[in-house]
Amino acid sequence: MTNKVKKISLLGATGSIGRSTLDIVTRFPERYQVVALGGGRNISELSAQAQRFRPQLLAVQDETGAEELEQALNAAGLKIPIMVGQPGAIAVATLSEANIVVAAMVGAVGLEPTHAALKAGKNVALANKESMVMAGRLLNEVASANKVAILPLDSEHSALWQALNGEPESGVEKLILTASGGPFREFSLAQMAEVTPEQAMRHPRWDMGPKITIDSATMMNKALEIIEARWLFDMAPEKIEVLVHPQSIVHSLVEYRDGSVLAQLGLPDMRLPIAYALSYPERLPLDLPKLNLAETGQLDFFAADEERFPALALVRKALASGDSGAIALNAANEIAVDRFRAGEIGFLEIAKMVAGVLDEIVAQEFSTLPQILDFDAKVRQSLLNSGN
Ligand code: NDP
Ligand code: MG
């Protein structure tokens, strides 16, 4: 191994993945150093992180936040440059000192900084799955042109990466993504029609940010993850399946052509895949609770139910519509999740809104970032105009 300290730029530092990443950095100060932190609106958290990790650069979502942060840092006797908005996130992503960027913003706003990081020749540990869904082909091209890697952070994709390690591609038959099934795994459609955002926020296994928690409840998260896996592992979407596994111990599986199935298991704790992406190909001596299968006792598996979880059928439709389908699915879902959280639409309306948008679009392929951002904006605008 190299003794060089890895210098990390962290986007989405104040979020669930961001905080878990900083936990890993804290445990291994001889290996990792934070050089830049990007947050959104949680200024008190970012200020505390800045005082603790002393980065060279900070970014926040808006001017008000920047002023508040500057005052907090002044009071602590610290002077660190603060940048704002997308230019700020891009500056964090491209800081010359950084050798790895952890992309953990939520949603489509993560795409430009992720793209910029790869273009600047940084390895990217990718949590922000929405960027891969919107622009997987482009991000892969940019990564390979700049000889850098996109390292999966998502637990399922980390599991696939580990189960694929060292195996020739030709032997892979299919990728099997596990899904906890979320809080409504056993609900009927009639019951789901009545659920509140508070109920949807209570995930049985994982403690995550609000958007991905709702995505897990609708299983749109798995739809996004199919597209994410397609690009991360260059796999035909027909070869990617979903398997419901309520205990969230088996994080995903690879089936090989001889019938062997390799899986990665572990307790549901994102610090594990984060540590793997940061330390690859090494494994860190992580002092966390370990899986005890005798205690777990039982592992259950079920086929996914596309009738109660239409997101799983919608992703096939989106994939059949090429790049525009994936971008539209993601954009419509982001808007629908915001509206559900605001109490404006019911839980089942989320998939209906996405289905409505997918019905309208024409299949198109996009090769540049402006084309992708432009199409994303058009989908969002059409939803706003239609009053849907
Ligand atoms: P959170 O909501 O907890 O965190 C999101 C982060 O993004 C926060 O730091 C937030 O800032 C920041 N942010 C949001 N909008 C903006 C913006 N416009 N400009 C700048 N920063 C912004 O989400 P998670 O950590 O749960 O998820 C992050 C990503 O990782 C998502 O793409 C998710 O799908 C993926 N992921 C998450 C997993 C998990 O276990 N949480 C597992 C696998 C993938 P602030 O809070 O300061 O406003
Ligand atoms: Mg996941």
Side-chain angles (χ1 to χ4, degrees), residues 177 179 219 222 241-244 301-309 312:
L177 293 165
M219 291 191 76
K222 228 35 64 173
E241 290 180 2
V242 171
L243 178 66
V244 176
F301 301 95
F302 304 97
D305 181 347
E306 295 192 0
E307 214 167 291
R308 287 184 305 123
F309 295 99
L312 298 172

mmCIF file of all heavy atoms in Angstrom, residues 177 179 219 222 241-244 301-309 312:
data_model
loop_
_atom_site.group_PDB
_atom_site.id
_atom_site.type_symbol
_atom_site.label_atom_id
_atom_site.label_comp_id
_atom_site.label_asym_id
_atom_site.label_seq_id
_atom_site.Cartn_x
_atom_site.Cartn_y
_atom_site.Cartn_z
ATOM 1 N N LEU A 177 -29.921 -7.259 -7.544
ATOM 2 C CA LEU A 177 -29.932 -6.193 -6.539
ATOM 3 C C LEU A 177 -30.927 -6.549 -5.452
ATOM 4 O O LEU A 177 -32.106 -6.797 -5.748
ATOM 5 C CB LEU A 177 -30.386 -4.876 -7.174
ATOM 6 C CG LEU A 177 -29.489 -4.218 -8.212
ATOM 7 C CD1 LEU A 177 -30.272 -3.157 -8.977
ATOM 8 C CD2 LEU A 177 -28.276 -3.590 -7.539
ATOM 9 N N ALA A 179 -33.364 -5.631 -2.218
ATOM 10 C CA ALA A 179 -34.172 -4.482 -1.797
ATOM 11 C C ALA A 179 -34.842 -4.853 -0.480
ATOM 12 O O ALA A 179 -35.380 -5.955 -0.362
ATOM 13 C CB ALA A 179 -35.250 -4.194 -2.843
ATOM 14 N N MET A 219 -39.998 2.046 -3.783
ATOM 15 C CA MET A 219 -39.050 1.205 -4.525
ATOM 16 C C MET A 219 -38.520 1.880 -5.790
ATOM 17 O O MET A 219 -37.895 1.244 -6.638
ATOM 18 C CB MET A 219 -39.603 -0.201 -4.809
ATOM 19 C CG MET A 219 -39.722 -0.997 -3.506
ATOM 20 S SD MET A 219 -40.060 -2.759 -3.715
ATOM 21 C CE MET A 219 -38.462 -3.380 -4.228
ATOM 22 N N LYS A 222 -34.879 1.369 -6.123
ATOM 23 C CA LYS A 222 -34.359 0.192 -6.841
ATOM 24 C C LYS A 222 -34.386 0.448 -8.342
ATOM 25 O O LYS A 222 -33.508 -0.005 -9.080
ATOM 26 C CB LYS A 222 -35.196 -1.034 -6.476
ATOM 27 C CG LYS A 222 -34.468 -2.295 -6.099
ATOM 28 C CD LYS A 222 -33.165 -2.160 -5.340
ATOM 29 C CE LYS A 222 -33.291 -1.559 -3.979
ATOM 30 N NZ LYS A 222 -32.020 -1.597 -3.209
ATOM 31 N N GLU A 241 -31.581 -7.840 -12.071
ATOM 32 C CA GLU A 241 -32.847 -8.202 -11.430
ATOM 33 C C GLU A 241 -32.931 -7.648 -10.013
ATOM 34 O O GLU A 241 -31.914 -7.293 -9.422
ATOM 35 C CB GLU A 241 -32.969 -9.730 -11.361
ATOM 36 C CG GLU A 241 -33.176 -10.335 -12.725
ATOM 37 C CD GLU A 241 -33.304 -11.850 -12.672
ATOM 38 O OE1 GLU A 241 -33.267 -12.425 -11.559
ATOM 39 O OE2 GLU A 241 -33.433 -12.443 -13.759
ATOM 40 N N VAL A 242 -34.153 -7.647 -9.486
ATOM 41 C CA VAL A 242 -34.376 -7.182 -8.117
ATOM 42 C C VAL A 242 -34.930 -8.332 -7.286
ATOM 43 O O VAL A 242 -35.790 -9.088 -7.745
ATOM 44 C CB VAL A 242 -35.375 -6.000 -8.114
ATOM 45 C CG1 VAL A 242 -35.800 -5.637 -6.689
ATOM 46 C CG2 VAL A 242 -34.763 -4.782 -8.801
ATOM 47 N N LEU A 243 -34.419 -8.451 -6.072
ATOM 48 C CA LEU A 243 -34.864 -9.499 -5.157
ATOM 49 C C LEU A 243 -35.141 -8.849 -3.803
ATOM 50 O O LEU A 243 -34.277 -8.167 -3.254
ATOM 51 C CB LEU A 243 -33.730 -10.530 -5.019
ATOM 52 C CG LEU A 243 -33.933 -11.707 -4.080
ATOM 53 C CD1 LEU A 243 -35.046 -12.625 -4.599
ATOM 54 C CD2 LEU A 243 -32.626 -12.495 -3.941
ATOM 55 N N VAL A 244 -36.346 -9.061 -3.286
ATOM 56 C CA VAL A 244 -36.681 -8.450 -1.992
ATOM 57 C C VAL A 244 -36.072 -9.288 -0.864
ATOM 58 O O VAL A 244 -36.195 -10.514 -0.851
ATOM 59 C CB VAL A 244 -38.211 -8.312 -1.831
ATOM 60 C CG1 VAL A 244 -38.561 -7.769 -0.447
ATOM 61 C CG2 VAL A 244 -38.765 -7.394 -2.918
ATOM 62 N N PHE A 301 -36.085 -14.133 1.320
ATOM 63 C CA PHE A 301 -36.037 -13.573 -0.035
ATOM 64 C C PHE A 301 -37.398 -13.737 -0.699
ATOM 65 O O PHE A 301 -38.036 -14.784 -0.575
ATOM 66 C CB PHE A 301 -34.959 -14.282 -0.866
ATOM 67 C CG PHE A 301 -33.595 -14.143 -0.248
ATOM 68 C CD1 PHE A 301 -33.086 -15.124 0.590
ATOM 69 C CD2 PHE A 301 -32.836 -13.000 -0.474
ATOM 70 C CE1 PHE A 301 -31.836 -14.981 1.186
ATOM 71 C CE2 PHE A 301 -31.588 -12.850 0.119
ATOM 72 C CZ PHE A 301 -31.086 -13.832 0.952
ATOM 73 N N PHE A 302 -37.837 -12.692 -1.396
ATOM 74 C CA PHE A 302 -39.125 -12.728 -2.087
ATOM 75 C C PHE A 302 -38.964 -12.095 -3.467
ATOM 76 O O PHE A 302 -38.127 -11.205 -3.638
ATOM 77 C CB PHE A 302 -40.173 -11.898 -1.334
ATOM 78 C CG PHE A 302 -40.364 -12.308 0.104
ATOM 79 C CD1 PHE A 302 -39.712 -11.626 1.120
ATOM 80 C CD2 PHE A 302 -41.194 -13.371 0.432
ATOM 81 C CE1 PHE A 302 -39.885 -11.994 2.449
ATOM 82 C CE2 PHE A 302 -41.374 -13.747 1.760
ATOM 83 C CZ PHE A 302 -40.714 -13.056 2.771
ATOM 84 N N ALA A 303 -39.825 -12.529 -4.385
ATOM 85 C CA ALA A 303 -39.868 -11.851 -5.688
ATOM 86 C C ALA A 303 -40.466 -10.463 -5.468
ATOM 87 O O ALA A 303 -41.276 -10.262 -4.565
ATOM 88 C CB ALA A 303 -40.731 -12.651 -6.655
ATOM 89 N N ALA A 304 -40.036 -9.498 -6.289
ATOM 90 C CA ALA A 304 -40.585 -8.145 -6.176
ATOM 91 C C ALA A 304 -41.971 -8.096 -6.826
ATOM 92 O O ALA A 304 -42.207 -8.773 -7.826
ATOM 93 C CB ALA A 304 -39.646 -7.163 -6.854
ATOM 94 N N ASP A 305 -42.861 -7.306 -6.243
ATOM 95 C CA ASP A 305 -44.240 -7.215 -6.741
ATOM 96 C C ASP A 305 -44.428 -5.899 -7.509
ATOM 97 O O ASP A 305 -44.550 -4.826 -6.931
ATOM 98 C CB ASP A 305 -45.190 -7.270 -5.530
ATOM 99 C CG ASP A 305 -46.651 -7.195 -5.940
ATOM 100 O OD1 ASP A 305 -46.943 -6.864 -7.113
ATOM 101 O OD2 ASP A 305 -47.500 -7.474 -5.073
ATOM 102 N N GLU A 306 -44.440 -6.019 -8.840
ATOM 103 C CA GLU A 306 -44.495 -4.810 -9.674
ATOM 104 C C GLU A 306 -45.875 -4.157 -9.671
ATOM 105 O O GLU A 306 -46.028 -3.025 -10.101
ATOM 106 C CB GLU A 306 -44.075 -5.137 -11.112
ATOM 107 C CG GLU A 306 -42.630 -5.567 -11.178
ATOM 108 C CD GLU A 306 -42.062 -5.626 -12.581
ATOM 109 O OE1 GLU A 306 -42.799 -5.322 -13.554
ATOM 110 O OE2 GLU A 306 -40.875 -5.988 -12.714
ATOM 111 N N GLU A 307 -46.872 -4.891 -9.225
ATOM 112 C CA GLU A 307 -48.200 -4.292 -9.191
ATOM 113 C C GLU A 307 -48.318 -3.307 -8.035
ATOM 114 O O GLU A 307 -48.817 -2.189 -8.201
ATOM 115 C CB GLU A 307 -49.243 -5.393 -9.027
ATOM 116 C CG GLU A 307 -50.523 -5.055 -9.767
ATOM 117 C CD GLU A 307 -51.378 -6.286 -9.851
ATOM 118 O OE1 GLU A 307 -50.993 -7.239 -10.578
ATOM 119 O OE2 GLU A 307 -52.403 -6.316 -9.152
ATOM 120 N N ARG A 308 -47.820 -3.713 -6.883
ATOM 121 C CA ARG A 308 -47.869 -2.797 -5.732
ATOM 122 C C ARG A 308 -46.728 -1.776 -5.789
ATOM 123 O O ARG A 308 -46.811 -0.718 -5.200
ATOM 124 C CB ARG A 308 -47.829 -3.591 -4.425
ATOM 125 C CG ARG A 308 -49.153 -4.312 -4.139
ATOM 126 C CD ARG A 308 -49.142 -5.023 -2.791
ATOM 127 N NE ARG A 308 -48.014 -5.932 -2.710
ATOM 128 C CZ ARG A 308 -47.088 -5.878 -1.756
ATOM 129 N NH1 ARG A 308 -47.175 -4.992 -0.793
ATOM 130 N NH2 ARG A 308 -46.073 -6.731 -1.750
ATOM 131 N N PHE A 309 -45.658 -2.120 -6.495
ATOM 132 C CA PHE A 309 -44.508 -1.206 -6.606
ATOM 133 C C PHE A 309 -44.231 -0.929 -8.087
ATOM 134 O O PHE A 309 -43.287 -1.455 -8.675
ATOM 135 C CB PHE A 309 -43.289 -1.803 -5.894
ATOM 136 C CG PHE A 309 -43.506 -1.926 -4.405
ATOM 137 C CD1 PHE A 309 -43.868 -3.141 -3.835
ATOM 138 C CD2 PHE A 309 -43.387 -0.812 -3.576
ATOM 139 C CE1 PHE A 309 -44.101 -3.245 -2.461
ATOM 140 C CE2 PHE A 309 -43.618 -0.907 -2.204
ATOM 141 C CZ PHE A 309 -43.967 -2.127 -1.648
ATOM 142 N N LEU A 312 -40.905 -0.444 -10.398
ATOM 143 C CA LEU A 312 -40.081 -1.507 -10.979
ATOM 144 C C LEU A 312 -40.468 -1.807 -12.425
ATOM 145 O O LEU A 312 -39.654 -2.302 -13.204
ATOM 146 C CB LEU A 312 -40.178 -2.771 -10.125
ATOM 147 C CG LEU A 312 -39.665 -2.596 -8.685
ATOM 148 C CD1 LEU A 312 -39.979 -3.822 -7.854
ATOM 149 C CD2 LEU A 312 -38.169 -2.293 -8.682
#
